[in-house]
Amino acid sequence: MSFDVKLINKVQGFVQEEGMNETTLPALKLYVSSVEIPLMPIVLQPAICFVLQGRKKVKAGRLAYEYSPNTYLINSVIRPVEASVFDIASNKPYVGLSLGIDQHVVGQLMMEMNNWDHETSYAEQATLTQSTPLTSPIENALERLVDTLADPMDRGILSSAICRDLYYQVLKGPCGGLLRNSVSHHAGANRIAPVVHYIEQNFERNLDIEEIANVAGMSGSSLHEHFKQVTSVSPMQYVKSLRLHKARSMLSLGYQVSEVCFGVGYSSPSQFSREFKRYFGFTPSEAKSSVTAIG
């Protein structure tokens, strides 16, 4: 199945410019690009992501996830990746949208589903990100959610219930366990998900493998092995990626290089500049404000 052209036209009607567009629903973002975009580094947020037109690839180390109008992507944690958009034409630009994951709503839904059916279970997920086939109930919920953007009253009264419906449909799906991983306090979550959440909250500090391993309740070597199996990078590589992406974001907002260097946890400006250039291909001082269509 694929998205109705009417929905594609509706989304394009709410788009103001190329790239990422905020909406009056803080969790809902719209994306459009009239040109193909090669693999570039981004930080993927916890979200349910859809491609209405075109195709998108997300690459994390040796792992790659491709999705199109027939599928959608679930990403359960903040994750540095490379992403590209392709398979578009001059009269058919890339059109996509993402719905941020509300941990409170997802956690509440999981408790209610368990109360309704104590045999409810979630398939164990081998990764923190996955694409899965689109279903009619999810497409329907997404279209209703986009419709609320046109009417403030609909948005105020209906949007939260529609988002809840969409989360519910995703939870019932084959990759619903990924939403469980997005709820950091859930006792049954994947063992690596809480570690990633901890790194997200503390990456600017002088973290070491022993501290991170203590959070996981593992030895340093065991954590390294399990973490790399799930994310395809080591815990310390993950820390470095988050620092550099945060640095790039701060630079785009006009912060001074020295301020950014120390703000994201580096103690050596020369090391910061060297690692930044190695990762992005340009120096911190060359970093300019930019908007990506594939965020």
Side-chain angles (χ1 to χ4, degrees):
M1 65 179 300
S2 61
F3 289 101
D4 191 289
V5 67
K6 292 181 179 179
L7 177 59
I8 297 172
N9 291 337
K10 285 177 184 177
V11 169
Q12 288 183 281
F14 292 114
V15 167
Q16 303 297 319
E17 57 186 6
E18 287 268 312
M20 189 269 286
N21 289 253
E22 302 280 356
T23 72
T24 46
L25 289 172
L28 184 66
K29 294 178 173 58
L30 311 179
Y31 305 89
V32 66
S33 178
S34 57
V35 297
E36 293 190 347
I37 302 176
L39 279 173
M40 62 179 293
I42 66 167
V43 173
L44 200 59
Q45 299 295 321
I48 305 165
C49 309
F50 301 88
V51 171
L52 279 61
Q53 191 163 263
R55 300 179 76 86
K56 180 174 177 179
K57 177 182 285 186
V58 171
K59 189 171 183 292
R62 69 180 183 277
L63 304 174
Y65 315 94
E66 187 174 309
Y67 58 113
S68 65
N70 298 311
T71 56
Y72 64 97
L73 186 89
I74 309 172
N75 181 59
S76 58
V77 297
I78 294 177
R79 191 172 191 184
V81 300
E82 292 182 297
S84 65
V85 296
F86 56 99
D87 195 18
I88 61 177
S90 57
N91 62 335
K92 288 188 175 181
Y94 166 76
V95 179
L97 55 80
S98 66
L99 178 67
I101 296 173
D102 186 318
Q103 294 185 354
H104 175 73
V105 175
V106 171
Q108 184 180 51
L109 275 169
M110 292 178 64
M111 288 189 291
E112 291 181 20
M113 291 169 73
N114 187 60
N115 288 336
W116 183 262
D117 182 0
H118 290 285
E119 296 181 359
T120 297
S121 62
Y122 300 92
E124 190 67 26
Q125 303 296 321
T127 181
L128 301 175
T129 306
Q130 188 61 58
S131 59
T132 191
L134 181 71
T135 65
S136 293
I138 290 175
E139 180 183 10
N140 178 266
L142 197 63
E143 184 166 2
R144 288 186 288 119
L145 186 62
V146 171
D147 282 341
T148 68
L149 296 177
D151 188 312
M153 184 167 67
D154 287 349
R155 188 166 60 250
I157 296 175
L158 301 176
S159 62
S160 58
I162 298 172
C163 288
R164 177 182 162 88
D165 181 20
L166 203 154
Y167 296 140
Y168 173 66
Q169 297 299 336
V170 171
L171 275 170
K172 288 172 61 180
C175 292
L178 283 173
L179 286 191
R180 174 188 60 182
N181 288 344
S182 74
V183 183
S184 59
H185 62 268
H186 192 273
N190 185 298
R191 292 182 72 187
I192 297 304
V195 179
V196 174
H197 287 296
Y198 184 81
I199 293 174
E200 292 166 13
Q201 296 162 7
N202 296 278
F203 68 87
E204 74 284 355
R205 295 199 298 103
N206 187 27
L207 290 175
D208 56 37
I209 191 65
E210 288 76 17
E211 178 179 346
I212 299 172
N214 285 337
V215 173
M218 304 179 189
S219 67
S221 59
S222 180
L223 172 65
H224 187 280
E225 179 183 353
H226 284 85
F227 196 96
K228 197 162 186 177
Q229 284 179 350
V230 173
T231 68
S232 81
V233 297
S234 71
M236 299 316 295
Q237 286 174 319
Y238 194 94
V239 172
K240 181 186 292 187
S241 294
L242 282 182
R243 284 178 173 174
L244 293 174
H245 278 284
K246 176 63 175 178
R248 186 179 183 184
S249 175
M250 291 175 69
L251 288 166
S252 73
L253 294 174
Y255 287 87
Q256 296 300 312
V257 173
S258 59
E259 186 178 11
V260 172
C261 168
F262 299 113
V264 299
Y266 281 88
S267 57
S268 167
S270 60
Q271 180 188 8
F272 168 62
S273 294
R274 185 170 57 252
E275 293 187 358
F276 189 98
K277 184 173 183 178
R278 186 181 299 126
Y279 193 86
F280 292 112
F282 47 83
T283 65
S285 60
E286 294 169 337
K288 297 179 181 179
S289 178
S290 62
V291 178
T292 176
I294 58 176

